[in-house]
């Protein structure tokens, strides 16, 4: 069978109907393309054993029924993480929508990988004709806006930040006026109740004042997680910059959209944007803390990054990590230069057959993230004068060791390891076994 429709390529040729209408397990309906044509489709990643899922499913079912009843073009496809077909059938009996057949585990795994589903429940909205993503993280919007928010298209960055921003003294400024300064923005996710936030804010104030005093336009917008206006006002009073107004009728929608857009999992978080609101760096907090004179502003991400400064990408993208805890600073610099040469070569970052770019890191801090990587990849303790190389592909729960050598030798070892990632010859060890 050749699947010539994008939705069939995504979900398979047939979908299962809900159990409640036709008996246990439902019946297979096809073709998928006809079932979903012209509709907003919610890909619902869920499982019977998951308590948050079982709380969200009745709400989603009610919203779904409301929309279908008034003729809105909406469909949901359940993608199960249940541990048995019996659990799947029992859970599907509570649902009024379609489902990927339980036996199609390959489709479920491919969808989870494609949409980077790391936790459930998760709801991804796609176009039923093209398969294009409408909202990659729609659960929050559906829960907060209900049926009235359909089709829950996320706000663009400019819509979520603007049109107007407020300062502590109550004055407002149009986002467009700040953009006209042709500088950079810091979108600062923070809250008064957060201890690390209150420690970082004074450092950020120093950087903000220093840069603007030196005629380097830098505007910051506070995206607050405070729970009441009094706390919001008190905290903003310590800041010389703007904020998304707390008393805006769409405050929750705006701040939620920004958190989802920039995949904010915790605070404090500082996202650097250019004047056109393109991302320069997704998390600049560590860079600001280490750059007292702001000489590296606007803190572009380095070609080879320190894992202890920003370990988040290790869980999200393939990474080559040089473990350099037991070589001196000059040798560490030589290793970084060797890795940088690979990244900045004419061929660019190596990519695998799926188009995934390989990212490069080093770990110099004894007892830091590097120690965790060593345990994970079973590399062993660091040895004096030696650098160990590791490929991490945590998205697929696997690692690959790339050998050990001196600072002079590691450049060639890294080239070989990166090439094996690109051509698929790298020998990975599963972390699931």
């Amino acid at each position: 069978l050749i699947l010539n429709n994008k939705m069939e390529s995504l979900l398979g040729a047939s979908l299962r109907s809900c159990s409640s209408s036709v008996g246990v397990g439902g019946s297979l309906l096809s073709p998928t393309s006809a079932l979903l044509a012209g509709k907003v489709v919610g890909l619902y990643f869920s499982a019977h054993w998951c308590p948050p899922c079982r709380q969200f499913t009745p709400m989603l079912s009610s919203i779904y029924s409301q929309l279908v009843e008034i003729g809105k073009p909406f469909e949901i496809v359940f993608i199960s993480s249940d541990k048995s077909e019996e659990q799947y059938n029992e859970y599907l009996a509570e649902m009024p929508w379609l489902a990927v057949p339980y036996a199609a585990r390959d489709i479920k795994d491919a969808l989870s990988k494609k949409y980077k589903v790391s936790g459930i429940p998760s709801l991804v909205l796609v176009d039923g004709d093209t398969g294009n993503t409408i909202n990659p993280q729609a659960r929050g919007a559906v829960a907060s806006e209900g049926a009235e928010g359909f089709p829950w298209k996320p706000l663009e960055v400019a819509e979520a930040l603007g049109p107007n921003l407020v300062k502590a003294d109550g004055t407002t400024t149009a986002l467009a006026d700040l953009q006209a300064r042709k500088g950079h923005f810091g979108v600062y996710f923070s809250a008064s109740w957060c201890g690390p936030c209150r420690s970082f804010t004074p450092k950020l104030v120093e950087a903000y004042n220093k840069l603007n005093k030196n005629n380097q336009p830098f505007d910051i917008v506070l995206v607050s997680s405070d729970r009441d206006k009094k706390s919001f006002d008190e905290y903003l009073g310590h800041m010389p910059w703007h904020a998304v107004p707390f008393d805006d009728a769409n405050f929750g929608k705006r701040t939620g959209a920004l958190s989802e857009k920039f995949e904010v999992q915790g605070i404090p978080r500082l996202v650097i944007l250019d004047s056109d609101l393109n991302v320069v760096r997704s998390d600049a907090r560590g860079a600001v803390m280490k750059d007292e004179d702001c000489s590296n502003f606007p803190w572009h991400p380095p070609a080879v990054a320190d894992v202890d400064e920003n370990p988040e990408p290790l869980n999200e993208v393939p990474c080559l990590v040089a473990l350099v805890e037991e070589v001196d600073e000059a040798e560490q610099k030589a290793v970084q230069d060797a890795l940088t040469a690979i990244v900045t070569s004419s061929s660019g970052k190596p990519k695998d057959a799926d188009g995934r770019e390989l990212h490069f890191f080093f770990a110099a801090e004894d007892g830091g993230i590097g120690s965790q990587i060593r345990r994970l990849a079973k590399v062993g303790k660091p040895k004096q004068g030696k650098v160990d190389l590791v490929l991490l592909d945590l998205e697929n729960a696997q690692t690959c060791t790339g050998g050990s050598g001196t600072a002079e030798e590691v450049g060639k070892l890294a080239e070989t390891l990166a090439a094996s990632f690109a051509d698929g010859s790298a020998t990975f060890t599963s972390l699931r076994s």
Side-chain angles (χ1 to χ4, degrees):
L1 175 65
I2 298 175
L3 303 181
N4 56 12
N5 175 272
K6 290 186 177 179
M7 294 307 290
E8 290 172 355
S9 298
L10 193 67
L11 298 172
S14 302
L15 296 173
R16 191 167 292 283
S17 66
C18 61
S19 303
S20 56
S21 60
V22 292
V24 176
S27 61
L28 283 178
L29 305 176
S30 60
T32 297
S33 55
L35 296 171
L36 305 179
K39 296 180 179 180
V40 173
V41 179
L43 305 180
Y44 182 39
F45 298 84
S46 186
H48 184 275
W49 52 261
C50 165
C53 297
R54 294 189 66 83
Q55 291 177 349
F56 182 61
T57 296
M59 178 194 303
L60 184 60
S61 179
S62 174
I63 292 169
Y64 172 86
S65 298
Q66 292 176 51
L67 292 170
V68 170
E69 186 176 342
I70 60 176
K72 293 293 184 180
F74 185 43
E75 187 54 80
I76 294 177
V77 178
F78 169 46
I79 296 112
S80 172
S81 292
D82 286 304
K83 299 173 182 177
S84 70
E85 191 160 9
E86 181 181 0
Q87 289 184 354
Y88 166 86
N89 287 332
E90 182 179 346
Y91 197 27
L92 184 58
E94 303 172 13
M95 301 175 176
W97 44 68
L98 303 171
V100 170
Y102 183 78
R105 296 289 84 190
D106 57 334
I107 294 177
K108 180 264 180 188
D109 292 342
L111 290 168
S112 296
K113 181 177 179 180
K114 177 179 177 65
Y115 296 109
K116 299 181 179 179
V117 176
S118 57
I120 55 174
S122 180
L123 183 66
V124 178
L125 299 181
V126 301
D127 184 297
D129 292 321
T130 65
N132 294 337
T133 302
I134 296 172
N135 189 334
Q137 300 178 40
R139 175 189 167 197
V142 171
S144 62
E145 300 172 27
E148 293 77 13
F150 179 81
W152 306 289
K153 184 178 180 182
L155 297 174
E156 297 297 328
V157 174
E159 295 176 297
L161 282 175
N164 296 309
L165 301 164
V166 67
K167 278 194 168 184
D169 61 6
T171 58
T172 59
T173 304
L175 174 65
D177 290 340
L178 296 180
Q179 287 182 271
R181 281 165 36 94
K182 297 298 181 183
H184 287 83
F185 285 90
V187 183
Y188 183 36
F189 296 87
S190 188
S192 63
W193 48 261
C194 165
C197 298
R198 296 190 74 91
S199 297
F200 177 57
T201 296
K203 298 287 186 181
L204 188 56
V205 170
E206 290 179 12
Y208 173 89
N209 288 334
K210 184 173 295 183
L211 288 164
N212 284 291
K213 183 178 180 180
N214 292 335
N215 297 315
Q216 292 177 275
F218 183 39
D219 292 293
I220 296 177
V221 180
L222 171 67
V223 180
S224 175
S225 293
D226 277 308
R227 302 180 180 98
D228 59 77
K229 192 171 188 305
K230 181 179 178 181
S231 299
F232 171 87
D233 288 340
E234 184 274 333
Y235 194 37
L236 185 58
H238 296 283
M239 304 172 185
W241 49 70
H242 297 84
V244 176
F246 189 89
D247 52 7
D248 185 282
N250 292 315
F251 176 77
K253 183 175 182 178
R254 290 169 66 180
T255 57
L258 290 167
S259 293
E260 290 186 358
K261 176 70 175 179
F262 298 120
E263 299 180 351
V264 176
Q265 301 296 323
I267 56 175
R269 176 81 172 271
L270 180 67
V271 181
I272 304 298
L273 309 178
D274 63 20
S275 59
D276 293 321
L277 307 183
N278 300 308
V279 175
V280 172
R281 189 160 185 170
S282 61
D283 190 354
R285 176 191 171 199
V288 174
M289 293 290 286
K290 291 183 177 181
D291 188 22
E292 290 188 8
D293 60 2
C294 298
S295 59
N296 295 321
F297 177 78
W299 305 295
H300 289 280
V304 180
D306 184 342
V307 293
D308 288 291
E309 183 175 307
N310 181 22
E312 282 188 21
L314 299 181
N315 294 312
E316 300 167 355
V317 295
C319 302
L320 188 156
V321 184
L323 303 167
V324 296
E325 305 99 316
E326 288 296 327
V327 297
D328 62 33
E329 289 188 10
E331 291 172 316
Q332 289 181 6
K333 178 66 165 55
V335 171
Q336 292 177 48
D337 289 345
L339 297 183
T340 299
I342 298 174
V343 177
T344 58
S345 68
S346 58
S347 56
K349 287 184 179 180
K351 296 181 181 179
D352 68 4
D354 294 327
R356 299 183 305 161
E357 282 189 339
L358 184 62
H359 295 248
F360 291 74
F361 292 83
F362 68 92
E365 184 178 329
D366 188 21
I369 299 295
S371 296
Q372 298 179 40
I373 294 172
R374 286 183 177 278
R375 287 194 295 271
L376 197 66
K378 298 179 180 178
V379 172
K381 295 181 180 180
K383 296 178 181 178
Q384 185 67 39
K386 295 291 185 178
V387 178
D388 294 300
L389 295 178
V390 175
L391 272 181
L392 293 179
D393 183 8
L394 298 185
E395 181 184 8
N396 293 310
Q398 57 185 5
T399 65
C400 172
T401 54
S404 177
T406 65
E408 291 182 354
E409 297 167 337
V410 81
K412 192 66 177 177
L413 288 172
E415 287 181 8
T416 301
L417 186 59
S420 72
F421 166 80
D423 65 24
S425 64
T427 303
F428 283 96
T429 300
S430 175
L431 298 175
R432 297 191 176 101
S433 58

